Amino acid sequence: MNKLNPRQHEAVRYADGPLLVLAGAGSGKTSVITRKIAYLIEELGIPGRHIAAVTFTNKAAREMKERVGRIVDRGKTRGLIVSTFHNLGLNMIREEHTHLGYHPGFSIFDAEDAKALLQDLMMREASAEAGDELNDVQMTISSWKNAMRSPAEAYSKAADEREQRIAIVYKHYNEYLKAYNAVDFDDLILLPVQLFRDNPEVLAKWRRKIRYMLVDEYQDTNVCQYELVKQLVAERAAFTVVGDDDQSIYAWRGARPENLAQLKDDFPSLKIVKLEQNYRSTSRILRCANTVIANNPHVFEKALWSDHTIGEEIRIIRCRNEDAETERVATEILDQKLKNGLDFRDFAVLYRGNHQARLLEMKLQAYQIPYRISGGQSFFSKNEIKDAMSYLRLMINPDDDAAFLRVVNVPRREIGPRTLEQLSHYARSRNVSLFKALGDMGAETHVTEKGLDRLRRFAHWVDKTCERLFSEDPIPVIKQLFTDIEYEEWLHQHSGSPKQAERRMENIWYLVESIQRMLDDGKGTADEIGIEDAIAKLVLRDMMEQREEEDDSDKVQLLTLHASKGLEFPHVFIMGLEEEILPHRSSIEEGNIEEERRLMYVGITRDRETLALTYAASRKQYGEKLETIPSRFLDELPEEDVKWEGLGDQDKEANQKKGKATLSALIGDLGL
């Protein structure tokens, strides 16, 4: 889209004050942001290094950066910040770590690292329901951090004894993170906000650095992110935020669509530009999306329109049960692919919860339809694999502090945060790694005798294992490593069921086999590698996997409605349009239907050409077959734009006909 429409043009050229761009789905907001960056640099002469554009995913940041690179001379964009909120926060912490009391080389705990630490703390607090409560505790602490609530404040404002208990865990959790010279994901925003509040000089420095700020997906900001933006722009009010309150679907992780309305209060001179022209979908799809979302209250009114054709009716397909539903989706994909000469990648199947994908996967496999699940957990992000990789990293480099800290107490060796903090301080004063510091005589004056003894026993074992790893056949040594630390027993103590523990241990043996294969592959050739290289290769693979993988192969896309935001597909199926699925049961109980309706809106607007909505008339729950109620959102769609299927007895007959037609097409396609 080279040519900007009038509203987009207005949004790009307005730089006289604060600006809110209300951008509907598919209205070309990325074009607006990238063109605006170009306008600020080329027309207004603001150096690239003084502009920051912030978004929520690495993918969006990469795309934005690439687009800017195509339209602005590279020399002018030097120093331009285009990143996620968390990356911006990380850079701030790196630069200001001394003000925050951190040492260089601090670790970042991801959700799994944080979970393991919390689990350990809760077991220590002798919380009986540690396993059941774990996710809830993690979410509560995360929401407190996002709302900028300290442990002391969380404790004093606790609604009940449970919250008090979580506030105590929160306090210890923060202490441990500090002892490990580590931060968690939420800290990446919270710590800069706290630093700027407490240190006006540092804030002034960053305000000089960032003279113009652009924020994408503003409706997804939480309290803490809003505060960070406000701190940085408060002086000049030179900013553009882009958002759509109708696509705010992350309240469960602290997002506040109210932040859009809040802007008006905090910046009274705020200008609002609405982008309502949609470049993605047919007119009919947009009419349906507008009609559904109109049932929500709005601070800002807008209505999407398109100059595309009217397009096909939206199909609502009733299926007998969940098996018939997945069968229908699978055969429809095959049918449409063969009849219309489409690719598998042209289709996306969206659903409310990940559990809905299991049955669908089985069905797609049965029909040999290739698919890709978005947002599934990668092998290297599993907790047990991260433990194993940290042990292996430590074996080839005992000075890897992050690996040392991850495994020094996994399985537990009764080494407390105080001991680690003492060791850490001593290591920093000597400017050596934690491992090296253990060998120093001076450590005895800094670390308690009991703690030092436990640490040295661990270090001695690491030394011995390292020695064997490089002098013997490495694979038996690695296997012995997991036996020595009694890792399997530890997994049984920390898993939900024996089955889960066995599965996790199998993952470890799969990793060991992978190392074996890497060593065997090059044997006797010029490509022969040692154990160090094999582990280094795996570490690199891990890092690569952590980047959002781009898979452009020809596969049907399966993803949750949440994960579909920002994406588009030619042909979309949304499954499970039933009460208690979409809208979700918990939202019905809490009276929070508005967010579920926004989720429906996001689902509808992912589509470029055809949309099919499916539901099951009955579904098995807890071994019992129960009748379902079709989703209220189906009734909110305009009658003239939808076509109902599967309501009569002819359903079976129609399916048989369709099956025969698909078979004939397939035979024709194969030239039989």
Side-chain angles (χ1 to χ4, degrees):
M1 188 184 62
N2 291 327
K3 212 166 163 314
L4 297 176
N5 68 40
R7 292 287 75 76
Q8 290 173 326
H9 192 265
E10 184 183 4
V12 165
R13 297 188 73 84
Y14 183 79
D16 296 338
L19 173 67
L20 163 62
V21 180
L22 271 177
S27 62
K29 65 181 175 68
T30 310
S31 284
V32 166
I33 295 172
T34 48
R35 293 293 188 83
K36 182 137 198 178
I37 294 170
Y39 178 74
L40 294 169
I41 295 173
E42 292 181 326
E43 302 288 323
L44 300 187
I46 302 173
R49 65 180 184 278
H50 291 310
I51 298 171
V54 187
T55 186
F56 278 84
T57 67
N58 288 323
K59 188 180 170 196
R62 267 202 313 275
E63 188 189 339
M64 209 177 284
K65 208 162 197 169
E66 281 164 14
R67 286 207 199 180
V68 172
R70 286 200 290 271
I71 56 175
V72 184
D73 178 67
R74 187 173 287 181
K76 292 181 177 175
T77 60
R78 195 168 289 120
L80 170 70
I81 300 169
V82 181
S83 75
T84 61
F85 264 106
H86 292 92
N87 247 322
L88 179 66
L90 174 61
N91 292 336
M92 288 169 164
I93 297 170
R94 275 196 185 127
E95 204 164 312
E96 312 298 344
H97 64 85
T98 45
H99 287 110
L100 288 160
Y102 284 87
H103 306 295
F106 57 87
S107 305
I108 302 166
F109 273 31
D110 65 12
E112 290 303 317
D113 294 327
K115 190 173 275 185
L117 173 57
L118 284 168
Q119 187 168 31
D120 206 33
L121 289 171
M122 286 164 73
M123 287 175 93
R124 209 167 295 173
E125 293 286 322
S127 177
E129 327 78 78
D132 304 335
E133 271 198 315
L134 187 56
N135 285 337
D136 188 33
V137 169
Q138 189 172 21
M139 278 183 75
T140 303
I141 291 173
S142 176
S143 69
W144 282 340
K145 285 195 175 189
N146 290 331
M148 302 188 300
R149 194 172 289 187
S150 67
E153 193 186 346
Y155 188 84
S156 68
K157 290 184 176 171
D160 49 31
E161 188 261 335
R162 177 188 146 276
E163 280 196 4
Q164 281 183 342
R165 203 167 64 242
I166 298 175
I168 293 165
V169 172
Y170 176 23
K171 178 175 177 285
H172 294 320
Y173 170 72
N174 273 356
E175 286 167 359
Y176 266 77
L177 280 177
K178 203 71 188 273
Y180 290 165
N181 194 36
V183 297
D184 68 15
F185 200 60
D186 299 315
D187 287 334
L188 295 176
I189 312 289
L190 179 60
L191 291 174
V193 166
Q194 288 173 337
L195 175 65
F196 292 160
R197 271 191 176 175
D198 301 340
N199 198 319
E201 281 173 27
V202 176
L203 174 59
K205 172 189 149 183
W206 280 91
R207 281 179 176 172
R208 284 194 298 276
K209 200 170 190 156
I210 299 174
R211 294 186 200 163
Y212 199 98
M213 197 164 184
L214 302 102
V215 185
D216 191 15
E217 305 286 5
Y218 198 73
Q219 75 283 345
D220 293 338
T221 53
N222 57 37
V223 172
C224 202
Q225 287 158 338
Y226 181 65
E227 187 61 27
L228 182 66
V229 172
K230 205 161 88 177
Q231 285 174 328
L232 291 167
V233 303
E235 212 173 29
R236 288 188 196 86
F239 66 85
T240 294
V241 303
V242 181
D244 179 4
D245 49 348
D246 289 332
Q247 292 187 75
S248 180
I249 55 175
Y250 294 115
W252 50 279
R253 63 181 192 204
R256 285 169 49 91
E258 310 90 286
N259 284 350
L260 288 169
Q262 184 69 37
L263 273 173
K264 192 82 181 133
D265 296 339
D266 291 339
F267 301 92
S269 62
L270 183 75
K271 183 178 170 72
I272 298 169
V273 174
K274 297 178 186 180
L275 304 184
E276 296 171 300
Q277 185 175 356
N278 174 288
Y279 292 90
R280 177 186 300 155
S281 310
T282 64
S283 302
R284 198 182 305 263
I285 285 165
L286 295 180
R287 194 155 62 208
C288 287
N290 287 334
T291 310
V292 167
I293 205 67
N295 291 284
N296 272 5
H298 285 84
V299 177
F300 308 102
E301 293 296 334
K302 66 173 189 322
L304 291 180
W305 62 275
S306 165
D307 55 14
H308 287 188
T309 57
I310 182 77
E312 290 183 29
E313 289 165 313
I314 286 166
R315 295 157 68 217
I316 301 173
I317 307 169
R318 175 190 179 272
C319 307
R320 248 182 355 273
N321 51 31
E322 62 265 56
D323 190 65
E325 183 183 33
T326 52
E327 172 88 16
R328 182 69 182 257
V329 170
T331 54
E332 284 272 346
I333 289 172
L334 266 184
D335 187 47
Q336 289 183 37
K337 178 188 183 320
L338 295 168
K339 275 187 185 160
N340 305 321
L342 303 170
D343 292 326
F344 283 120
R345 68 162 73 86
D346 293 332
F347 297 92
V349 186
L350 315 182
Y351 35 79
R352 178 65 177 81
N354 275 312
H355 65 278
Q356 291 168 262
R358 288 179 207 140
L359 195 56
L360 180 62
E361 277 192 80
M362 305 295 278
K363 202 64 76 175
L364 294 175
Q365 282 170 7
Y367 280 101
Q368 295 183 326
I369 297 172
Y371 63 89
R372 171 175 174 248
I373 288 197
S374 211
Q377 194 190 25
S378 84
F379 181 69
F380 283 103
S381 66
K382 295 178 190 295
N383 231 356
E384 61 274 18
I385 298 301
K386 289 170 79 169
D387 288 345
M389 288 298 296
S390 294
Y391 267 110
L392 295 172
R393 277 166 44 196
L394 197 61
M395 294 302 152
I396 62 170
N397 173 21
D399 294 331
D400 184 333
D401 279 5
F404 179 93
L405 287 168
R406 179 164 180 103
V407 298
V408 69
N409 238 351
V410 174
R412 276 186 68 189
R413 296 183 177 91
E414 304 295 330
I415 297 163
R418 184 85 190 106
T419 303
L420 287 171
E421 196 166 13
Q422 290 165 345
L423 177 66
S424 175
H425 280 308
Y426 176 67
R428 300 297 169 212
S429 69
R430 294 267 296 106
N431 210 14
V432 295
S433 71
L434 299 171
F435 196 85
K436 276 210 179 74
L438 284 174
D440 281 4
M441 294 297 284
E444 290 160 21
T445 58
H446 288 77
V447 184
T448 60
E449 191 181 344
K450 199 186 278 181
L452 193 60
D453 179 53
R454 284 172 182 155
L455 280 165
R456 281 180 169 166
R457 265 189 296 179
F458 173 64
H460 178 70
W461 171 80
V462 170
D463 270 335
K464 285 281 177 230
T465 310
C466 280
E467 214 173 286
R468 287 182 56 216
L469 191 67
F470 289 101
S471 60
E472 300 171 25
D473 180 357
I475 298 299
V477 177
I478 293 172
K479 286 180 176 171
Q480 184 62 43
L481 178 160
F482 293 106
T483 308
D484 285 351
I485 62 174
E486 298 178 346
Y487 193 73
E488 191 161 1
E489 289 83 340
W490 189 80
L491 281 179
H492 276 277
Q493 290 164 17
H494 290 77
S495 299
S497 66
K499 202 106 193 107
Q500 192 190 12
E502 283 160 27
R503 232 181 2 257
R504 293 175 73 188
M505 200 63 213
E506 277 166 22
N507 287 334
I508 298 278
W509 297 136
Y510 181 79
L511 181 73
V512 176
E513 279 167 31
S514 304
I515 297 171
Q516 177 82 71
R517 276 198 301 276
M518 288 169 85
L519 295 172
D520 289 348
D521 282 350
K523 262 192 185 148
T525 70
D527 296 326
E528 188 164 348
I529 60 169
I531 186 66
E532 203 166 358
D533 297 319
I535 292 167
K537 275 192 168 181
L538 277 175
V539 171
L540 186 63
R541 194 183 298 175
D542 177 13
M543 287 165 77
M544 296 301 287
E545 272 214 6
Q546 283 175 15
R547 297 170 66 165
E548 293 163 39
E549 38 15 318
E550 295 288 310
D551 183 355
D552 198 32
S553 51
D554 190 21
K555 293 173 182 173
V556 175
Q557 306 287 312
L558 309 187
L559 59 177
T560 63
L561 285 157
H562 283 100
S564 75
K565 188 162 161 287
L567 303 174
E568 57 180 71
F569 310 93
H571 306 281
V572 173
F573 293 84
I574 306 178
M575 289 173 56
L577 272 135
E578 299 148 37
E579 291 289 300
E580 302 200 351
I581 294 181
L582 183 66
H584 195 270
R585 183 192 304 170
S586 59
S587 302
I588 298 171
E589 287 167 358
E590 291 160 14
N592 183 19
I593 298 296
E594 287 169 23
E595 176 131 345
E596 295 291 295
R597 190 173 282 112
R598 291 197 288 268
L599 207 48
M600 177 77 176
Y601 175 82
V602 164
I604 296 173
T605 53
R606 295 312 91 202
D607 177 51
R608 291 210 295 267
E609 294 172 38
T610 68
L611 175 64
L613 310 171
T614 67
Y615 69 96
S618 68
R619 214 174 264 278
K620 256 196 195 134
Q621 271 189 327
Y622 316 112
E624 197 184 339
K625 192 169 140 186
L626 297 172
E627 296 291 310
T628 66
I629 300 168
S631 169
R632 66 191 73 187
F633 302 145
L634 295 175
D635 295 329
E636 292 176 1
L637 292 163
E639 274 179 49
E640 65 276 19
D641 291 315
V642 300
K643 182 170 121 192
W644 291 78
E645 296 179 18
L647 293 176
D649 295 329
Q650 76 282 7
D651 194 25
K652 199 171 175 184
E653 208 176 297
N655 281 344
Q656 281 172 348
K657 259 189 201 161
K658 190 175 275 284
K660 279 180 186 163
T662 300
L663 192 61
S664 309
L666 189 55
I667 290 167
D669 208 50
L670 295 170
L672 298 173

